[in-house]
Amino acid sequence: CALWHQIMVFYPLLCLKSQKSFEKFLDEEYLCDANNSQKIKTFLSSLSRLLQKHFKRQICLLIDEYDVPLAKAQYYGYHQKMVTLMSLFLGILKTPPEDEYGSSVLKKVVLTGCLKVAKNDIFTGVNNFVANTVLSTDPDLSGLIGFTKEEVRQILQDYRLSSCAELVKENYDGYCFFDKEIFCPWDVMNFIKDNYKFKQQNQEEFIKAANYWNGSTSSTAVYEYLGYLSERDNERLQDLVDGKAVRVRINDSVNYDCLSKHDPDDFWSLLLHTGYLTAVKDGKLSADDEFLVKIPNHEVSKCFLDNIQKRFNDSLSGKGGRADKFAAYLLEADPQKASDLLFEILQSYVSLRDLATKAPKENYYHGLLNGILLNAQEIKELKSNQGSGDGYLDLSFKNKRETLAVIIEIKACKAGEDKLRILKTALIQIEKKNYAQPYLKDETITSVYGYGIVFSGRNCFIDMKKFK
């Protein structure tokens, strides 16, 4: 659609013969006809030649977000077909058309995208590339990728929003490109668009820093890695969420051709190049490809949590998902399988930890288990902190037929503590506090299982006792 709009602007400038040729590209049936695919693939060259002929000068070709079609194709499973199409469509970069005097119609080509222009199948045969990435060290180019702090200060002043400088900095600053402190320009401009009217109308109480970044990034490829990461990689994710910088190896030339290998180095590279992370200033380490990286600001941190948390929930939910399997193992009186599956979940889970909290660690694990079971579709009447017997049980639920009940008591222990002793304590508490009493009195419930679950960091231990 965007291409059609550009064509329509240019259309009146064409001669009659050229207009008739261009009319074909405004016809959807023509574009969808496979017999015309070759003409469509050479369209960019034809357009460039006509522009040069009309204006009698070389043209500059600007291609924004060149890698978005590749990202979409990689996610939906037709990556190689897209590579073939783009290789032909961008053939103008390999063999630029010539004017009537034999000179190239192209003066300059600028491509932008999340990932570096690499010598993959699309660009094989293209010469004279000069690449500038978020890790490049050219001081003349490092400030061109976004807004510098000086530029942001000036634009806020122009719109009488200087009082919002700290709010803007906390949410949209934080990127470091060589020697420049960089703000995300999309966010800054949207913040001004949404809030300058409140300043003009003396309604500053309505000014807020909305999240604009999440809707502007295509990050589906990132999620595909989450099931392939090692425990060490998951610890790094947790440290990032906790506001720390982590040491990672970066492949500055990562591209979508190699993402299916799920190499962890490519995962960190993808996070860096798609804007989830930024290199720390002076964070270059002794090894050529190692850097200290961090989440740049509050806005991206929120996106990071929401997106990865969503991926985690997606892996749990749905019929036959991990939440259903975990609940099924508990209903089937199989603590070993339940323990093994919960251990797997713990290895892939990334949470927001409040390091300053003094609440019992059981609260954290209680919330985790409650979240898992909320995604289970094969259970009924999930209860949390419910009064039962002589106290308050942690969690309980029934099977769908309401003939079987499960009671869970949660404990947390430190490294070196006797986990098996604490596990027995959990089961004894269920019995002494009479948590099972309401279910024992219910004649429609034929079985009641009590489970003690002990957590130690990202490890867990489960034991059970049958009460009915």
Side-chain angles (χ1 to χ4, degrees):
C1 289
L3 182 58
W4 284 357
H5 286 303
Q6 296 302 317
I7 292 171
M8 291 306 294
V9 171
F10 177 56
Y11 180 75
L13 304 176
L14 300 175
C15 65
L16 182 61
K17 181 180 178 181
S18 297
Q19 282 183 0
K20 289 182 178 179
S21 298
F22 256 71
E23 284 176 354
K24 296 176 182 178
F25 293 98
L26 305 178
D27 184 347
E28 188 173 350
E29 290 185 10
Y30 179 87
L31 294 175
C32 293
D33 188 342
N35 294 322
N36 301 319
S37 61
Q38 190 58 39
K39 292 182 179 178
I40 294 169
K41 292 168 185 174
T42 58
F43 170 76
L44 199 54
S45 292
S46 300
L47 175 62
S48 300
R49 188 181 293 108
L50 288 169
L51 283 166
Q52 188 279 331
K53 184 177 181 180
H54 177 81
F55 291 103
K56 294 181 173 54
R57 66 183 66 182
Q58 287 181 304
I59 68 167
C60 294
L61 179 59
L62 310 178
I63 303 175
D64 190 22
E65 295 189 335
Y66 87 92
D67 55 344
V68 168
L70 294 171
K72 297 290 185 184
Q74 191 273 338
Y75 182 74
Y76 289 106
Y78 57 94
H79 177 260
Q80 192 52 50
K81 290 182 178 179
M82 181 57 71
V83 168
T84 301
L85 172 63
M86 290 185 64
S87 180
L88 293 169
F89 188 76
L90 298 178
I92 185 175
L93 305 180
K94 306 170 190 177
T95 311
E98 298 179 345
D99 63 16
E100 56 188 306
Y101 302 108
S103 300
S104 172
V105 304
L106 291 181
K107 181 178 182 180
K108 181 184 297 185
V109 179
V110 178
L111 289 96
T112 66
C114 289
L115 301 189
K116 183 178 179 180
V117 175
K119 290 290 185 179
N120 54 19
D121 292 344
I122 294 174
F123 300 108
T124 299
V126 180
N127 297 316
N128 303 320
F129 263 130
V130 177
N132 184 64
T133 76
V134 297
L135 296 177
S136 295
T137 57
D138 186 339
D140 294 329
L141 298 177
S142 58
L144 299 180
I145 300 176
F147 287 168
T148 64
K149 60 182 179 181
E150 293 79 15
E151 290 168 336
V152 172
R153 185 185 302 118
Q154 183 61 55
I155 196 170
L156 290 176
Q157 181 179 322
D158 292 344
Y159 283 90
R160 297 172 54 206
L161 287 168
S162 296
S163 60
C164 301
E166 192 60 32
L167 181 65
V168 170
K169 179 177 176 62
E170 289 176 355
N171 284 276
Y172 311 130
D173 186 18
Y175 291 99
C176 178
F177 300 154
F178 185 42
D179 58 342
K180 301 293 192 306
E181 177 185 338
I182 296 294
F183 291 69
C184 176
W186 171 257
D187 294 328
V188 173
M189 296 309 296
N190 274 284
F191 174 86
I192 290 172
K193 176 178 69 70
D194 287 348
N195 293 296
Y196 83 96
K197 56 183 177 293
F198 296 131
K199 181 70 173 181
Q200 290 180 327
Q201 298 165 4
N202 295 317
Q203 295 178 309
E204 293 188 42
E205 67 272 17
F206 294 108
I207 292 177
K208 65 177 182 179
N211 194 318
Y212 307 107
W213 189 86
N214 200 26
S216 68
T217 181
S218 176
S219 51
T220 51
V222 171
Y223 308 149
E224 295 303 305
Y225 276 83
L226 297 182
Y228 295 87
L229 299 179
S230 67
E231 183 175 354
R232 176 68 183 121
D233 289 319
N234 282 312
E235 288 175 358
R236 288 192 180 108
L237 283 175
Q238 186 68 73
D239 285 340
L240 287 167
V241 169
D242 291 340
K244 301 176 183 177
V246 301
R247 176 176 182 160
V248 295
R249 180 172 284 109
I250 296 296
N251 174 8
D252 197 27
S253 297
V254 64
N255 62 71
Y256 290 101
D257 293 354
C258 55
L259 296 188
S260 60
K261 299 175 184 177
H262 298 110
D263 186 322
D265 290 347
D266 290 342
F267 171 71
W268 298 113
S269 306
L270 198 59
L271 285 177
L272 178 70
H273 288 296
T274 54
Y276 277 108
L277 300 177
T278 184
V280 175
K281 189 173 184 179
D282 301 323
K284 180 71 179 71
L285 301 175
S286 55
D288 288 342
D289 55 355
E290 288 192 342
F291 294 82
L292 281 175
V293 297
K294 65 176 183 177
I295 297 174
N297 53 50
H298 290 344
E299 181 193 44
V300 178
S301 181
K302 179 70 163 54
C303 294
F304 196 99
L305 282 167
D306 288 350
N307 292 337
I308 291 182
Q309 182 67 50
K310 181 180 183 300
R311 184 67 180 182
F312 174 75
N313 289 338
D314 287 347
S315 73
L316 292 174
S317 60
K319 193 172 181 63
R322 291 197 292 182
D324 270 347
K325 288 181 181 178
F326 178 68
Y329 292 149
L330 296 179
L331 291 168
E332 292 165 5
D334 195 332
Q336 187 57 54
K337 286 185 178 179
S339 179
D340 291 343
L341 180 57
L342 184 56
F343 176 79
E344 290 178 13
I345 293 172
L346 287 169
Q347 305 316 298
S348 63
Y349 185 59
V350 180
S351 69
L352 176 60
R353 293 187 302 221
D354 182 355
L355 300 182
T357 183
K358 296 182 180 180
K361 289 186 177 180
E362 282 88 348
N363 291 8
Y364 166 75
Y365 292 114
H366 186 133
L368 170 63
L369 271 187
N370 192 50
I372 293 172
L373 292 171
L374 281 170
N375 283 283
Q377 299 181 13
E378 301 301 313
I379 66 174
K380 292 186 68 174
E381 293 190 27
L382 175 63
K383 297 177 180 179
S384 174
N385 289 319
Q386 181 78 19
S388 183
D390 301 323
Y392 292 86
L393 54 79
D394 284 335
L395 293 166
S396 68
F397 61 88
K398 298 178 184 177
N399 63 351
K400 274 198 166 182
R401 292 193 63 193
E402 301 186 61
T403 58
L404 192 154
V406 169
I407 300 167
I408 299 174
E409 178 61 30
I410 300 165
K411 299 291 183 185
C413 68
K414 299 176 182 178
E417 287 189 296
D418 189 340
K419 300 172 183 64
L420 296 181
R421 180 188 62 80
I422 296 173
L423 200 54
K424 290 179 181 178
T425 300
L427 292 175
I428 291 171
Q429 181 174 331
I430 295 174
E431 186 171 10
K432 283 190 172 183
K433 295 285 187 178
N434 296 311
Y435 292 156
Q437 188 178 51
Y439 300 120
L440 296 174
K441 291 180 177 180
D442 189 338
E443 294 181 358
T444 63
I445 296 177
T446 58
S447 301
V448 179
Y449 302 154
Y451 286 89
I453 302 182
V454 172
F455 291 92
S456 178
R458 289 194 173 187
N459 205 351
C460 64
F461 305 87
I462 301 179
D463 200 0
M464 71 161 291
K465 180 176 181 179
K466 294 183 180 181
F467 289 91
K468 187 178 182 181

